[in-house]
Amino acid sequence: MLAKTQLHDPAPPPARDLAVAEIRTTIVDVPTVRKHKLSQTSVTAQSYVIVRLRLANGVEGIGEAATLGGPRWSEESVEGIKATIDTYLAPALLGHPADRFVTAGERLDAAAKRNNAAKAAIETALFDAVGRTLGLPVAALLGGAVRTSLPVLWTLASGDPDQEIAEAEGKLDARLHRTFKIKIGAQAPEADLARLARLARALGERAQLIVDANQAWDEATARRCLPRLADLGIALVEQPLPAWNVAGMGRLRARDDIPPLLADECVFTPHDMLAVAQAAAADAVSLKLVKHGGLVGLRKVAAVAEAAGIGLYGGCLLESSIGAAAHLQAFAGLRDIAWGCEHFGPQILTDDLVTEPLRFRDFAVHLPEGPGLGVTLDPDKLRHYARS
């Protein structure tokens, strides 16, 4: 007769050990390998606020808030994010149990309106610290991963078609990316269309092309240009109209001669997502922590989109491996993310902020292994790129 072996699970850490003891912020500026040009701005260095959140048990979690060229893409800047966290958000969480994510979000919302990127960085650090304490990846805390990698695209945003063709060829040859998003809107529509035609001819059937206008067109321009994008084989068009013109997006999408539409700047909250769904204004939505206020908010927006039959797309704001890993942990648990993701950010930086950057191979970005976010902040890199 076999003796029974009694297994004793280790007791969970006392709640007081999970209390938030300290939150520190640092602004960093990391150069990019080339100019990244959007309709409303261009950057040659990417700025972040790095959040380090220490628990009473000594475990530290990290988070990241990204912006693009200051408060141009949204109202937040790294300077404002740091000030808001230091002055209002951090004091609201000191002493709060880190594993009570929903109530932590309520405290942050009570301390400051919007400021979604700032809140996302703090919430990411909470999840990272709790995951490290429990020895679990953040994906497990969100319900468990259903994938370990995602197809990842590369953005072409120099505005120079010769440079962009060469850049895309290099990515294809290295088996890093075979979907390319082209940023348009900084030039006149006819110039953008000519540039897109050159890219489509050069890359042919070897690559899928999508376009991001970053709200640059009015409705009349979109009506004129979108059918021409369809003729070029463009697979998806991101936010052609200003964020406020959801009704216009719905009118465009009712046409049968345009590519599918991707909503971005018009969807920050679940209520925004519901409005877009009610207006039948998008075929897919771009999910970003900086828009949705964190991992919990991102999952809420995704749930509304899924309920409405709207596809999911993993958006980015040129995050480093810290912010990209946080997104991947959230994306890993979504049942379907049909359009893949664009978390190429670590590759466009001249350097990264972690000891082991994310892995890119076979046209995919791979979920990092290990507890929490799965990446570790490099203190030397943080000091090197910290803004004085």
Side-chain angles (χ1 to χ4, degrees):
M1 188 173 177
L2 295 175
K4 293 183 179 180
T5 301
Q6 188 174 4
L7 299 177
H8 296 282
D9 292 330
R16 64 179 180 275
D17 288 348
L18 289 174
V20 176
E22 183 183 30
I23 298 176
R24 291 177 290 164
T25 58
T26 305
I27 296 176
V28 298
D29 302 293
V30 185
T32 56
V33 297
R34 58 141 168 86
K35 181 182 289 187
H36 192 74
K37 194 171 184 180
L38 288 75
S39 65
Q40 74 276 41
T41 189
S42 63
V43 298
T44 55
Q46 182 60 328
S47 299
Y48 310 102
V49 176
I50 304 302
V51 171
R52 289 173 290 170
L53 183 149
R54 183 174 56 82
L55 304 183
N57 62 15
V59 172
E60 182 174 279
I62 56 174
E64 174 186 281
T67 67
L68 277 177
R72 295 180 177 90
W73 183 84
S74 74
E75 70 272 24
E76 289 181 274
S77 65
V78 288
E79 298 83 5
I81 289 168
K82 177 174 171 52
T84 298
I85 291 175
D86 293 348
T87 307
Y88 300 103
L89 299 180
L93 283 190
L94 293 179
H96 183 74
D99 59 340
R100 297 182 186 175
F101 304 114
V102 173
T103 55
E106 291 174 348
R107 287 190 174 208
L108 295 178
D109 287 343
K113 300 298 182 187
R114 286 180 67 92
N115 287 280
N116 291 354
K119 293 173 183 176
I122 290 180
E123 190 193 76
T124 296
L126 286 173
F127 271 95
D128 186 40
V130 172
R132 289 177 183 277
T133 297
L134 301 178
L136 293 172
V138 168
L141 301 178
L142 292 169
V146 297
R147 62 183 62 80
T148 58
S149 65
L150 281 93
V152 59
L153 62 76
W154 177 265
T155 293
L156 302 172
S158 73
D160 178 348
D162 291 327
Q163 184 277 332
E164 290 172 337
I165 290 168
E167 189 171 279
E169 294 281 7
K171 300 300 181 184
L172 286 166
D173 291 345
R175 294 183 57 81
L176 291 172
H177 308 277
R178 57 187 170 193
T179 298
F180 299 95
K181 181 166 85 169
I182 301 99
K183 292 283 190 179
I184 64 171
Q187 305 178 79
E190 291 303 320
D192 276 331
L193 289 169
R195 172 175 156 235
L196 290 169
R198 285 196 59 190
L199 289 166
R201 286 194 301 269
L203 299 176
E205 296 181 356
R206 295 174 297 150
Q208 177 176 254
L209 302 182
I210 68 177
V211 164
D212 184 5
N214 282 120
Q215 312 181 70
W217 290 346
D218 58 24
E219 200 168 339
T221 303
R223 284 198 305 269
R224 175 166 54 88
C225 294
L226 286 172
R228 297 171 68 178
L229 296 186
D231 292 341
L232 291 174
I234 302 301
L236 189 67
V237 178
E238 183 173 353
Q239 200 66 52
L241 301 184
W244 60 264
N245 197 1
V246 172
M249 291 273 285
R251 288 188 291 269
L252 292 175
R253 187 171 173 267
R255 300 174 56 132
D256 58 8
D257 60 346
I258 71 167
L261 298 182
L262 173 65
D264 183 15
E265 289 95 336
C266 62
V267 177
F268 274 64
T269 69
H271 304 99
D272 293 340
M273 187 69 253
L274 180 60
V276 167
Q278 290 171 331
D283 299 279
V285 61
S286 180
L287 302 172
K288 297 176 182 174
L289 293 176
V290 294
K291 291 196 303 179
H292 311 316
L295 297 102
V296 173
L298 185 151
R299 296 293 291 265
K300 287 180 180 179
V301 170
V304 176
E306 288 175 326
I310 294 173
L312 304 180
Y313 172 103
C316 86
L317 213 63
L318 298 187
E319 286 86 355
S320 78
S321 283
I322 297 170
H327 281 84
L328 295 179
Q329 294 289 341
F331 298 157
L334 297 173
R335 288 189 178 185
D336 184 26
I337 185 160
W339 290 96
C341 78
E342 58 176 80
H343 278 281
F344 65 94
Q347 291 189 305
I348 203 171
L349 302 175
T350 59
D351 202 355
D352 212 328
L353 300 171
V354 298
T355 56
E356 293 186 18
L358 296 181
R359 292 176 294 120
F360 295 83
R361 67 168 185 269
D362 297 327
F363 309 112
V365 57
H366 296 261
L367 188 70
E369 299 176 355
L373 297 180
V375 295
T376 301
L377 180 66
D378 186 324
D380 294 331
K381 298 289 183 64
L382 183 69
R383 282 190 293 269
H384 180 73
Y385 293 107
R387 186 179 296 182
S388 57

